[in-house]
Amino acid sequence: MKEVVGVVDWGIGGLDLFTRLRAPRMVYLSDSGTAPYGRLCAASLLRRFEVLERALLERGVTRIVVACNTLSTILPLARPRVPTSGVIRPTLAFLNDSNFSNLAVVGTDRTVASGAYLEAPAVVAQRSIQPLGALIERGEGTCSRRVRTVVAEALDGLACNGLVLGCTHYAAVRAEFERHVATIIDPVDVVLDQLSYATKTPVRDVWTTGCPATMRRAAHAAFGVRLGPIHVLSDRPEIRP
């Protein structure tokens, strides 16, 4: 039986990994119909993962890739029913085997509060840029004055020679980060290096708990991705921060 890979994120950030991955069959699940993950507590994130896992299993998924730093923070607490990996543990292993020094991490409130990336000795500072993911979801990019202001304010006074993008959305505005820091480490690049698939024409299904039209616009604005049919997952119990 061919492996079916499920890729999950709060919104469209994980589409960068999803569209570059070449597994035979893949299912993407955007959970933008719920509160931004960066504002949820660990218990709420864990419950949300359980809901999403069940939905993916019902769609034949045999392996899950959590393409979301915030949701990855609770994976050590989860008991997944199929092989599951996030983006933080592979990146920590990569950083520990590299010669980087004096790195900083930018991410959501929850990712920064977890301190997960501080396990890498090269990481000496963290900054939260909670509004940035929402701006990218609304289709704002490097041409947006607000995006430039948010990034500049977050990095103000941050002395580092490398930056870890601790949110998959941030790859959409990587050029803006490169205006301030020369070396960028994108966890998605690390994860893709470890997933050995080479299918020429993968079968891809896309689901969302949010609005398909909004997702379609955001995907194109952020990553230049033109999505086909987007299915709506209507079973989305409300979770408050």
Side-chain angles (χ1 to χ4, degrees), residues 79-221:
R79 296 182 179 179
R81 289 178 282 173
V82 295
T84 300
S85 57
V87 291
I88 293 179
R89 301 313 303 183
T91 305
L92 288 174
F94 169 75
L95 294 177
N96 286 328
D97 291 340
S98 303
N99 295 320
F100 292 111
S101 64
N102 197 30
L103 297 179
V105 175
V106 287
T108 66
D109 289 348
R110 176 54 51 188
T111 298
V112 168
S114 75
Y117 278 108
L118 294 178
E119 293 184 27
V123 174
V124 297
Q126 299 184 107
R127 292 283 175 88
S128 173
I129 319 182
Q130 181 63 42
L132 186 56
L135 293 176
I136 294 169
E137 283 283 324
R138 293 204 291 265
E140 296 193 39
T142 54
C143 294
S144 163
R145 180 178 298 178
R146 186 165 183 204
V147 165
R148 291 191 172 192
T149 299
V150 166
V151 171
E153 289 178 350
L155 300 184
D156 183 42
L158 188 62
C160 64
N161 54 30
L163 190 68
V164 179
L165 301 183
C167 174
T168 51
H169 283 76
Y170 297 174
V173 293
R174 177 170 176 154
E176 192 57 35
F177 287 105
E178 290 174 333
R179 285 163 49 90
H180 302 271
V181 183
T183 300
I184 302 295
I185 297 102
D186 185 350
V188 167
D189 294 335
V190 177
V191 172
L192 286 172
D193 283 344
Q194 297 182 3
L195 297 175
S196 54
Y197 300 106
T199 305
K200 291 184 178 179
T201 55
V203 176
R204 294 187 173 107
D205 296 321
V206 178
W207 292 77
T208 183
T209 61
C211 171
T214 300
M215 181 181 182
R216 195 182 305 281
R217 288 193 299 269
H220 184 254

Side-chain angles (χ1 to χ4, degrees), residues 6-8 27 29 52-61 64:
V7 178
V8 63
V27 178
L29 178 49
L52 301 176
E53 180 191 44
R54 183 168 61 249
L56 290 171
L57 294 181
E58 289 172 354
R59 285 149 185 84
V61 165
I64 297 174

